Amino acid sequence: IYVFQGGGKMVCMESLDPKRVWTIQYGTILLTAGVLLLGSALSCPIKCECSNREGFLLCDHKRLTTVPTGVPPETKNLDLSNNRIKNLNPDEFSSLWHLEELDLSENIISNIEPGAFNNLLNLQTLKLRRNKLRIIPAGVFAGLLNLTILDISENEIVVFLDHAFKDLLNLRTLDAGDNQLVFVSRQAFRGLQSLQQLTLEKCNLTNIPSEALSYLQNLVILRFKRLNINSVPRNTFKGLDRLRILEIDQCPSLDNLVPNSFFGLNLTSLSITGCNLSSIPFESLKHLVYLQYLDLSYNPITVVHEKMLSDLLRLQEFHLVGGKLVSIAPSAFKGLSSFRLLNVSSNILRTLEESAFHSVGNLETLRLDGNPLACDCRLLWLIRRKRRLNFDGQQPACATPLEVQGKQFKDFSDVLSPKDFTCEKSRILNKRYQRVIVKEGNTVTFTCSGVGNPTPTISWVSPKQTIINSNTKGRIRILPDEGLEIRYAQIQDGGTYSCTASNAAGNDSVSIQLEVKGYTPVYINRTLQLSPAQPTPYSTNTSMSSRFFPLDTMTLMIAMSMGSVCFFSSVSICFFFIFCLSRGKGNIKHNAQIEFVPRPPSINNPAENVEDAKFTMKLI
Ligand SMILES: *[C@@H]1O[C@H](CO)[C@@H](O)[C@H](O)[C@H]1NC(C)=O
Ligand SMILES: *[C@@H]1O[C@H](CO)[C@@H](O)[C@H](O)[C@H]1NC(C)=O
Ligand SMILES: *[C@@H]1O[C@H](CO)[C@@H](O)[C@H](O)[C@H]1NC(C)=O
Ligand SMILES: *[C@@H]1O[C@H](CO)[C@@H](O)[C@H](O)[C@H]1NC(C)=O
Ligand SMILES: *[C@@H]1O[C@H](CO)[C@@H](O)[C@H](O)[C@H]1NC(C)=O
Ligand SMILES: *[C@@H]1O[C@H](CO)[C@@H](O)[C@H](O)[C@H]1NC(C)=O
Ligand SMILES: CC(=O)N[C@H]1CO[C@H](CO)[C@@H](O)[C@@H]1O
């Protein structure tokens, strides 16, 4: 046997039989004659290669249909991937005491007999990726006491039965991704007491097999990908105290997390990506105080609310790529003193204010590309830090104003021109002091509109100094056009209301004085008599309508006028018909003679004449 160096790779050959000279890896060295025996060299079975690394035997891509015979017993690492092996028979590898890694990936194995892995006491890694396994018979991995990595991904396994992995006491990593799992039996993972990493990808599971998972007390990393789940019920991960990394990816129907979804977990990294979450599941997250990495990318999330994440004290990275983010509120990341990476590329953000961060000094990496950024004074902080921040190779670009559309941040010179990144202070239109008097029970509306760049937001403050916003419910509320409406005004509603228009450049406000006049209702026979609405002594842009519950005078008048219209029209139609009918009856007799039988002459009036039993009527 010759052992020689060929392009950095040791190749061993048996020179005596030309048919067995099967490889000259780099075609540069030709072997001639002589016998040189090196102590550690292996004898290679037909079709296999010995590697320069001691104990390695490479039999991949050799069209083998069975496990080759004559594998040297000293072999530690046997690569049988990319062959056509279909069956693994009992004791197939039983002579290979020293085997540490066995790669059977990309074969067509559909059947493994129990005992196939007998005697492989030292085996640490077993790869069965991309085969045709449909089932893992109980006991098939018996004896693999030192196995730490098992890869059975990309098979056709439909169920994991009870005790399927029970002998694998030292298994650390189980990759079962990309099978067609529809069911995981309750005790399927029993015995996997050392398992640290589990991947279940591309399964047809409709719920997370939480009972099976509860046997995995040492699990650290759990990955789910492409499940058909639509919720994560409470206590799903109960008992997984050591779990630190949880990834749930591509669950398009997952739109709901309950507050206790992650109960019992102490995660440092959580990804819920490619699902259907429409808001940050803050309630489910807030107890994860050791969380450092949070990825909610590819969910239709629209807002990062103020201080929502402030319980996640150790958060360092937040990713929300490809969502529907329209705003990141000021103070969104307040309190997160370790926060250093924000990845919000490909959203619909128009701005990102400095005040969103606890301290921008700690921010190292920012992905803001793919957003329609409005380059005004709110982004000035960012353009000033553009050299210190890492944009991960993707420069943010301006979408507005028009003059700088498409311009990347790096293309702005360090000394900005005076009109770049500027704002215009907000200003209230038609600003003047107003005094409004309204009768108790009436409804009054105030309008207030502001201009500025960026467009100011309008806020209202009541006489009691409470802020009235779109969430305020009750008689006093904000209208869609940002006006203020006070329905059924009461005496205590009176006072000074103020409207403030504010934007990043400043704010402007106006006050409106409201006075509510009381009235004394008079009750007659349970009928409320209302004093009529009087014209109000002002003519500003406040619109006013008087309404009484349940019918206001306006409605009553409309109803009455509609009623009389109906009445008169029906009456006229009747007359019309009568007229037509009478015309249709031909000649009209204008005289009629009516005969009647006279009463017997009364005693009181004996003079009454019988001749009077006839009279003539005239028709007009
Ligand atoms: C799993 O789901 C895929 C696609 O959703 C489907 O084609 C396949 O038949 C399913 N397998 C089983 C076993 O249900
Ligand atoms: C995602 O959620 C929206 C409503 O929140 C719903 O209309 C849509 O059908 C959901 N998508 C899927 C794939 O379930
Ligand atoms: C949670 O995890 C962190 C970091 O891994 C660890 O320091 C802490 O002790 C854990 N807390 C509990 C209650 O397990
Ligand atoms: C931001 O997210 C995208 C998409 O997930 C990823 O490709 C990119 O590496 C991330 N950038 C950083 C700095 O983490
Ligand atoms: C308006 O501006 C002043 C100072 O410019 C600030 O103190 C106040 O908080 C602002 N009010 C609002 C509602 O933004
Ligand atoms: C009243 O408001 C309308 C728009 O709602 C506006 O066109 C008009 O100029 C305003 N009039 C006064 C007097 O403020
Ligand atoms: C039921 C009731 O109180 N009916 C009274 C309505 O008012 C008239 C006079 O206005 C009284 O005579 C009725 O008794």
Side-chain angles (χ1 to χ4, degrees):
I1 297 169
Y2 277 86
V3 179
F4 62 92
Q5 192 84 28
K9 184 163 190 177
M10 281 280 248
V11 179
C12 67
M13 308 168 69
E14 283 179 42
S15 62
L16 298 176
D17 179 357
K19 283 188 186 140
R20 302 181 87 177
V21 177
W22 45 263
T23 178
I24 296 171
Q25 193 66 20
Y26 299 102
T28 48
I29 300 168
L30 191 69
L31 202 74
T32 49
V35 172
L36 179 65
L37 240 163
L38 280 183
S40 67
L42 300 173
S43 59
C44 290
I46 318 172
K47 288 192 165 178
C48 294
E49 290 168 40
C50 301
S51 153
N52 61 344
R53 289 166 67 192
E54 199 183 314
F56 274 60
L57 188 63
L58 309 176
C59 310
D60 54 317
H61 293 94
K62 297 291 186 293
R63 303 183 178 201
L64 297 172
T65 53
T66 55
V67 176
T69 49
V71 176
E74 311 87 280
T75 308
K76 286 185 177 163
N77 191 317
L78 177 57
D79 184 354
L80 287 165
S81 63
N82 284 288
N83 284 299
R84 293 180 186 166
I85 301 170
K86 198 170 177 188
N87 266 308
L88 294 182
N89 301 316
D91 295 318
E92 192 90 77
F93 306 98
S94 58
S95 59
L96 306 177
W97 293 85
H98 298 280
L99 208 57
E100 288 168 7
E101 180 168 340
L102 175 58
D103 190 350
L104 290 160
S105 307
E106 305 194 41
N107 279 281
I108 49 168
I109 300 171
S110 57
N111 179 33
I112 305 179
E113 300 282 345
F117 302 114
N118 274 350
N119 283 353
L120 295 180
L121 274 174
N122 291 311
L123 193 67
Q124 288 166 12
T125 305
L126 175 58
K127 296 182 183 164
L128 286 161
R129 188 179 64 86
R130 204 179 275 196
N131 276 287
K132 303 242 179 277
L133 289 175
R134 289 184 165 272
I135 199 154
I136 308 276
V140 84
F141 298 120
L144 296 176
L145 288 178
N146 279 312
L147 195 68
T148 52
I149 300 174
L150 175 61
D151 184 354
I152 48 169
S153 60
E154 298 183 60
N155 278 281
E156 293 163 8
I157 304 168
V158 183
V159 292
F160 281 152
L161 298 173
D162 282 350
H163 308 292
F165 305 100
K166 79 170 179 219
D167 301 300
L168 304 176
L169 297 180
N170 280 308
L171 195 67
R172 299 261 158 81
T173 304
L174 173 59
D175 189 345
D178 213 346
N179 278 290
Q180 293 176 6
L181 274 183
V182 289
F183 181 67
V184 177
S185 181
R186 283 162 57 175
Q187 305 200 27
F189 298 136
R190 192 168 188 155
L192 291 176
Q193 53 182 329
S194 310
L195 197 70
Q196 294 180 351
Q197 191 168 332
L198 173 65
T199 308
L200 289 173
E201 276 182 29
K202 233 189 196 178
C203 303
N204 289 15
L205 291 176
T206 51
N207 52 28
I208 294 174
S210 65
E211 204 159 340
L213 291 175
S214 68
Y215 287 96
L216 304 175
Q217 279 149 12
N218 283 308
L219 201 64
V220 179
I221 305 175
L222 178 56
R223 291 196 180 93
F224 288 112
K225 198 168 181 178
R226 293 201 219 170
L227 303 195
N228 285 330
I229 55 170
N230 52 25
S231 75
V232 179
R234 51 185 299 174
N235 298 339
T236 298
F237 301 102
K238 206 174 169 192
L240 301 180
D241 306 336
R242 305 252 165 93
L243 195 70
R244 292 293 174 268
I245 300 175
L246 175 62
E247 292 174 15
I248 299 177
D249 185 28
Q250 297 187 45
C251 302
S253 10
L254 178 64
D255 52 12
N256 174 26
L257 291 178
V258 294
N260 283 333
S261 286
F262 302 123
F263 183 77
L265 290 183
N266 177 13
L267 298 176
T268 56
S269 165
L270 174 65
S271 309
I272 307 174
T273 50
C275 300
N276 202 11
L277 299 178
S278 53
S279 60
I280 295 181
F282 171 69
E283 282 296 320
S284 335
L285 303 180
K286 65 178 185 185
H287 72 281
L288 299 174
V289 291
Y290 284 92
L291 202 66
Q292 293 171 2
Y293 177 100
L294 178 60
D295 189 350
L296 297 172
S297 297
Y298 305 104
N299 279 292
I301 294 173
T302 52
V303 189
V304 182
H305 289 287
E306 204 166 309
K307 295 184 186 163
M308 274 291 204
L309 300 166
S310 60
D311 287 337
L312 309 180
L313 293 171
R314 295 170 180 83
L315 197 69
Q316 295 178 4
E317 296 191 17
F318 180 70
H319 301 254
L320 208 171
V321 179
K324 299 212 164 112
L325 267 187
V326 287
S327 84
I328 294 181
S331 308
F333 307 111
K334 218 40 192 209
L336 310 183
S337 54
S338 316
F339 196 74
R340 55 179 186 78
L341 184 148
L342 179 65
N343 189 356
V344 286
S345 58
S346 307
N347 278 290
I348 30 187
L349 287 170
R350 296 189 49 80
T351 196
L352 175 63
E353 291 188 46
E354 187 175 8
S355 60
F357 300 95
H358 186 75
S359 144
V360 282
N362 296 343
L363 192 67
E364 290 164 14
T365 308
L366 177 64
R367 280 283 301 268
L368 197 57
D369 52 290
N371 285 291
L373 297 177
C375 288
D376 55 37
C377 61
R378 294 170 294 175
L379 287 179
L380 201 56
W381 71 274
L382 193 53
I383 199 99
R384 289 203 176 121
R385 298 191 79 87
K386 68 178 182 182
R387 295 204 187 285
R388 265 171 288 172
L389 276 174
N390 173 8
F391 291 119
D392 193 25
Q394 303 291 325
Q395 287 280 327
C398 301
T400 55
L402 224 51
E403 306 85 65
V404 292
Q405 197 172 43
K407 193 164 172 179
Q408 294 192 338
F409 278 24
K410 68 172 162 39
D411 299 333
F412 284 95
S413 70
D414 286 341
V415 184
L416 286 173
S417 96
K419 57 183 201 319
D420 284 337
F421 291 89
T422 52
C423 286
E424 183 200 326
K425 187 175 176 297
S426 48
R427 191 163 52 78
I428 287 178
L429 292 173
N430 305 313
K431 188 177 167 184
R432 79 181 89 100
Y433 178 75
Q434 293 172 9
R435 186 178 149 81
V436 175
I437 301 173
V438 69
K439 288 254 175 207
E440 189 180 3
N442 287 12
T443 293
V444 62
T445 312
F446 304 132
T447 57
C448 177
S449 54
V451 289
N453 176 30
T455 311
T457 53
I458 303 289
S459 58
W460 288 91
V461 177
S462 77
K464 297 190 190 80
Q465 302 305 311
T466 53
I467 293 167
I468 306 163
N469 56 32
S470 50
N471 296 327
T472 311
K473 300 269 182 299
R475 289 183 303 109
I476 304 180
R477 57 168 187 165
I478 303 286
L479 296 174
D481 69 348
E482 296 189 317
L484 183 75
E485 183 190 61
I486 301 164
R487 287 180 293 170
Y488 320 121
Q490 291 174 6
I491 306 284
Q492 68 267 26
D493 295 339
T496 307
Y497 288 80
S498 76
C499 163
T500 305
S502 48
N503 70 5
N507 52 29
D508 189 12
S509 46
V510 68
S511 301
I512 299 169
Q513 184 80 34
L514 177 71
E515 194 182 313
V516 183
K517 283 228 159 120
Y519 71 97
T520 358
V522 188
Y523 288 93
I524 302 167
N525 278 358
R526 278 194 246 143
T527 312
L528 180 60
Q529 239 182 27
L530 301 161
S531 31
Q534 276 167 14
T536 40
Y538 66 92
S539 67
T540 59
N541 234 355
T542 57
S543 71
M544 182 181 150
S545 61
S546 54
R547 283 187 208 152
F548 298 108
F549 198 77
L551 285 177
D552 60 27
T553 40
M554 194 66 174
T555 319
L556 269 173
M557 278 171 67
I558 291 174
M560 277 177 66
S561 54
M562 281 174 71
S564 41
V565 165
C566 282
F567 176 75
F568 284 119
S569 46
S570 0
V571 167
S572 4
I573 287 172
C574 279
F575 271 104
F576 177 73
F577 275 115
I578 290 171
F579 176 73
C580 291
L581 203 69
S582 59
R583 294 299 294 238
K585 286 285 179 188
N587 289 339
I588 298 162
K589 271 188 180 169
H590 290 278
N591 295 313
Q593 273 195 346
I594 293 164
E595 278 181 41
F596 65 95
V597 181
R599 273 183 298 178
S602 99
I603 307 145
N604 300 351
N605 213 351
E608 218 171 49
N609 202 339
V610 188
E611 279 298 299
D612 285 341
K614 237 182 213 175
F615 70 89
T616 306
M617 268 172 71
K618 190 156 190 166
L619 241 162
I620 322 159

